[in-house]
Amino acid sequence: MDAEWEQRVEAAWGTLDSYGEDGAEEFRAVIDELVGELPEGHPVGLFERACAFDSTGHSDRAVPLYQEALERGLDGYRRRRTTVQLASSLRNIGRAEEGAALLTAELEKGGGELEDALRACLALCLANLGREREGLALVLGALAPHLPRYQRSMAHYARELVVDGPA
């Protein structure tokens, strides 16, 4: 894996939408070809294959690949992306509680990129679990720092949602 390989993978992902619904298999073949250049069982290859299944509507096939990528030591930014995407896929296949637990543990580690994505995905998991107020609080809390005004108010409202505040 080198910068040139990474560029080719990024370029392949840039073409995903051009395949349309009927081209999912063809797109996965492009990713498989690139992954085939890596050693068998390489965590990055597992991650890329999982993403290809996930992005073409096969969360059920992505989950075990994401899990194996993590087990094989995927690290850095891709590890964090895997956490978000695995949790989302778990939610998609009816395992929102597992997804919520995974995201909660990741958020407790603190810091790093994709904090807002972790919170957004956790909010979706919580909504699936009937905990919409908690999910909305997470989304408002994540959004507040990005607003040009009303940051303090939105952060307050987010806290209020989970501390027996107004409906």
Side-chain angles (χ1 to χ4, degrees):
M1 220 174 54
D2 58 17
E4 187 265 336
W5 184 87
E6 293 281 5
Q7 289 172 346
R8 289 187 293 132
V9 169
E10 189 173 325
W13 279 103
T15 67
L16 173 62
D17 290 337
S18 69
Y19 286 89
E21 282 186 38
D22 296 332
E25 206 169 301
E26 185 181 348
F27 174 75
R28 287 192 306 269
V30 169
I31 296 299
D32 280 343
E33 186 174 323
L34 288 162
V35 168
E37 297 175 24
L38 301 176
E40 183 70 28
H42 194 287
V44 171
L46 293 164
F47 168 78
E48 293 296 340
R49 281 192 170 120
C51 292
F53 277 117
D54 212 0
S55 296
T56 57
H58 294 281
S59 294
D60 58 324
R61 296 183 69 185
V63 166
L65 293 169
Y66 286 138
Q67 290 170 328
E68 188 176 352
L70 290 172
E71 289 167 8
R72 290 183 178 258
L74 189 66
D75 60 4
Y77 183 68
R78 278 193 175 106
R79 187 199 61 77
R80 200 136 225 229
R81 282 185 59 199
T82 299
T83 302
V84 171
Q85 292 169 210
L86 172 57
S88 177
S89 292
L90 287 167
R91 184 186 71 82
N92 287 338
I93 62 172
R95 295 165 51 188
E97 196 161 326
E98 289 176 63
L102 186 68
L103 292 163
T104 300
E106 187 67 26
L107 283 166
E108 287 173 358
K109 290 178 185 174
E113 297 179 82
L114 302 175
E115 289 286 312
D116 291 343
L118 289 162
R119 286 183 176 84
C121 190
L122 179 54
L124 290 169
C125 288
L126 292 173
N128 278 52
L129 297 169
R131 296 164 54 190
E132 293 87 354
R133 288 179 69 90
E134 288 176 70
L136 179 57
L138 277 169
V139 171
L140 284 175
L143 175 64
H146 305 284
L147 297 173
R149 297 192 53 89
Y150 313 110
Q151 298 93 345
R152 194 171 62 76
S153 296
M154 287 301 142
H156 171 76
Y157 296 146
R159 284 188 303 276
E160 203 173 64
L161 280 166
V162 291
V163 185
D164 296 321

